[in-house]
Structure formats: structure tokens, C-alpha cells
Amino acid sequence: MSETIIRIPSSGSGVPATQLFEPFTLAQFGGEAADPTTVLEARDLVKHFSSGRGFLGRKRHVVHAVDGVSFKLSRGRTLGLVGESGCGKTTTGRVILGLEEPTAGEIRFDGVDVTRLRGAEAKRYRNRVQMVFQDPSASLDPKMRVGESVAEPLFLHGWEAGARAERVANLLDRVGLDPSLGSRYAHQLSGGQRQRVGIARALALEPEVIIADEPTSALDVSVRAQVINLLKDLQAELGVAYVFISHDLSTVRYVSDEVAVMYLGQIVERAPSEELFSQPLHPYTQALLDAVPIPDPRAEAQRHVMLLEGDVPDPAAPPSGCRFHTRCPFATADCAAIEPVLRAVAPGREVACHMV
Ligand code: SF4
């Protein structure tokens, strides 16, 4: 079969889109018939890191950063990934992006397992999936003018200078910046402006997926809403899909169509956003939501909340059975012995808990 399975975006810049991307084909990479609504799929994704050197018989530790994560991302939609620090959400994003090689599992982009791609094909995939980083300062070269930073991916794709300049001006305008700011350096911009530049750079090659890793947590509260609304507007306009990684549950609720809750490298609950926030089923999800204070002090005082105690266990030695059993107020002997599997409990809802 030689069916073309990736849309070729129009560049809108005078440069033929076919110069930007050659499409993957099923025959090329042994892909399977793609679900037309799914742009990205993770299947049993695993990422382990070895720590320690095993010197003189000392045990080598294996950090279970991501352990069997599966999800689907629909075109033009947003999947929120939430959980405490160290739960594996950022590593999941980095593995999807190709910044980390998975230990096991598959990442399917339009039905093609991209973990098997190498060289030029792997590079082509990485053009289709871009990242917006938490700290915009760290993602922009301080020695480059911000216009040059936005233009860099275009330069690497052989765009000639005139088309590049036009495209950069369009991109800066699209993210709400005066194109004249392209001549400034990153340190001459505010935090919010720098993050807009980071978004413009991520959009340069018209990706289908953007991994947004805590994109507003380094920003002042006053500009967070602006950047979030910009991301939503761009999604409506361009149809880009987001994996939105954050520990800020209010923001995740606002931007996400679906939410996956991660604990110690595993997804413990997945549901449409409003259902998850209005009726969390997994005890860990309930505790995360309970930790968000209510603005009304009287209601807050009367609220019955489940507070999490203790820290997330060491991912190099995850607890047996249910990984959450050491902190779960409902844990039984079975919970320490038998690992719950993520299973469907209602249409579109999955939970990994023996009690649900
Ligand atoms: Fe708690 Fe047991 Fe459910 Fe794990 S399986 S979340 S320990 S009740």
C-alpha cells in the first residue's frame, strides 16, 4: 500500500509547501491504517534511566520515569497531562518529541511508528511535532536577535532570505507581537513577549502537534491568561493539537479536551476534562483536586478534603501493587499486592484502581 497519510500544510509564504515536508507513506515505514481523527498515539511507552554505575557489585538503580503510558491525541484537540513533580509527564513529552529514546513502546504519528525512524525521516517527524518550553529564556539563544531565532528552522529548510523575513513578520504578528521586535534580543523583551516568540518559533514549520511543557508557569500571573488565550486562538485558527503538561489544574481544565493524570510514571485516570474535574474517580485525582483551594474562605473551611501525605516514592523503587497504595487512604492488603490496570469504567473514562 502506498497511501499518503500525512497532510502537507500550506506554507502561506510563497515557498511551496512540498519543499517543507515530504509526506510519510504507509509503505515506506510499515505503518498501519491510520485512524483519521488521531494524530498521535502512545502505546505502552516506557522510559527507564539507569542511575549509579554498578561499581564493585553495587546495584545499578533503574529509574522508572515512564512505565507503560498509552493515550491518543485527536487532531486539533488538547490532552492535558497532570501530576506532581517527578510523575513522568515531562519525560513523556520529551520521548514523544524524540529528545529521549524510549526504552520500549511505540509512538505512532498518523499510524506510523516513529520510534523506528532514523536520519532524515526522524528529522521530518520532529518538524511535525514542536515544543513550547517552560522557560522561554532558556529556549532562545541570547546572542541571536529574536527574529533570527524564529527564522532558524526556516533557514535550515532552505528558505531564501526574503521569504524568511516575510514569514517571520507574519509569525510575530500572529502571536500578537509587533514585527519590529524581531530586531531585539531576548533579554530586551518581557517574559510574556519571550514566550510569544517561543510560540512563533514552534509554529514556524506549521507543526500538527505542539508539546507545551508548563508554558505559563515561569510567567507573571498577569500575562498567563494572555498566553493561554493565544494558544487557544492559534488552535482554533490552525488546527494544531496540544499535549499540555502542567501541574496547574485550573489552567489544564480551561485548555484541555481530555486529561490524563499521571502518578509515578503511569496514567492512573483518563477522562474528558469536564467529567474528570466534576467527578474525579481515582483517589489520587481526588486528592489533587482537593489540594486546589476555593477562593471563598467560608466554603473552604467547611470543605471535606483528602490531603495527600508524604512525598512521591522513589521512582527507582516504585511500591508494589498499586503504586499509590503508600499514600492512599483507601488502600487494602490487595492494593499492595496486585497492580490495578487502567480499564474503561464508562465511555471515554479509564481508571486504574481496584475500588472504582
Ligand atoms: Fe488506593 Fe487501592 Fe485504588 Fe490504589 S488500588 S488507588 S491503593 S484504593
Side-chain angles (χ1 to χ4, degrees):
M1 192 190 292
S2 61
E3 179 193 347
T4 300
I5 57 169
I6 289 184
R7 285 183 294 116
I8 306 175
S10 64
S11 69
S13 62
V15 175
T18 46
Q19 276 182 239
L20 273 178
F21 310 115
E22 292 169 43
F24 298 147
T25 64
L26 291 174
Q28 264 177 295
F29 304 114
E32 59 190 42
D35 167 4
T37 62
T38 300
V39 62
L40 185 83
E41 181 180 359
R43 290 186 187 174
D44 291 324
L45 206 56
V46 175
K47 179 62 190 175
H48 291 172
F49 295 98
S50 283
S51 69
R53 305 192 56 187
F55 183 63
L56 289 178
R58 263 195 284 166
K59 201 174 166 196
R60 186 186 292 270
H61 293 287
V62 176
V63 176
H64 298 240
V66 178
D67 242 349
V69 163
S70 300
F71 61 79
K72 289 182 177 181
L73 175 65
S74 299
R75 293 182 194 283
R77 309 282 279 176
T78 299
L79 171 71
L81 271 189
V82 301
E84 292 164 285
S85 299
C87 69
K89 52 193 192 304
T90 291
T91 304
T92 301
R94 290 176 62 82
V95 172
I96 292 169
L97 210 65
L99 297 176
E100 304 281 357
E101 196 163 331
T103 307
E106 296 178 358
I107 300 162
R108 291 195 169 262
F109 187 90
D110 276 348
V112 174
D113 181 8
V114 296
T115 60
R116 293 189 289 130
L117 303 184
R118 296 289 177 269
E121 279 72 36
K123 200 172 151 209
R124 264 193 284 162
Y125 161 68
R126 284 199 289 268
N127 292 336
R128 320 299 298 275
V129 181
Q130 296 288 321
M131 189 153 194
V132 172
F133 294 90
Q134 175 178 5
D135 181 358
S137 311
S139 62
L140 297 173
D141 187 336
K143 297 192 288 297
M144 289 172 90
R145 296 179 193 278
V146 294
E148 293 169 341
S149 289
V150 175
E152 197 177 26
L154 304 170
F155 175 76
L156 295 174
H157 276 79
W159 285 47
E160 51 89 14
R164 272 202 318 269
E166 188 184 334
R167 174 91 172 129
V168 169
N170 283 340
L171 284 165
L172 291 178
D173 183 52
R174 206 174 217 169
V175 298
L177 292 175
D178 189 318
S180 66
L181 293 179
S183 61
R184 295 197 188 170
Y185 292 93
H187 72 270
Q188 295 175 307
L189 302 181
S190 69
Q193 288 173 325
R194 281 196 293 269
Q195 192 55 295
R196 286 173 189 266
V197 171
I199 294 168
R201 184 183 154 101
L203 290 172
L205 296 177
E206 301 190 0
E208 272 131 317
V209 175
I210 287 181
I211 313 289
D213 187 3
E214 304 273 10
T216 57
S217 56
L219 302 178
D220 290 338
V221 174
S222 56
V223 294
R224 282 184 193 172
Q226 295 170 18
V227 170
I228 289 298
N229 285 330
L230 170 65
L231 289 170
K232 284 187 74 116
D233 290 347
L234 290 169
Q235 184 173 59
E237 187 186 337
L238 305 172
V240 64
Y242 297 129
V243 176
F244 193 92
I245 298 168
S246 181
H247 65 274
D248 179 349
L249 296 176
S250 313
T251 305
V252 168
R253 181 176 195 167
Y254 180 62
V255 300
S256 303
D257 300 292
E258 195 188 17
V259 177
V261 181
M262 290 189 70
Y263 185 77
L264 266 186
Q266 299 178 327
I267 291 177
V268 296
E269 180 164 5
R270 188 169 59 212
S273 181
E274 272 317 307
E275 289 181 34
L276 183 126
F277 283 97
S278 60
Q279 192 192 13
L281 296 179
H282 194 283
Y284 179 60
T285 313
Q286 292 170 16
L288 281 183
L289 298 190
D290 280 356
V292 180
I294 295 176
D296 177 353
R298 259 188 300 180
E300 176 67 29
Q302 289 167 3
R303 199 160 66 111
H304 179 70
V305 295
M306 184 172 83
L307 289 179
L308 276 180
E309 291 182 5
D311 294 323
V312 180
D314 182 359
S320 61
C322 173
R323 293 187 177 187
F324 187 55
H325 85 261
T326 54
R327 302 169 81 193
C328 179
F330 310 111
T332 64
D334 276 354
C335 298
I338 305 167
E339 184 172 352
V341 294
L342 192 65
R343 63 192 167 80
V345 294
R349 299 206 66 168
E350 293 181 330
V351 183
C353 173
H354 297 310
M355 304 299 161
V356 177

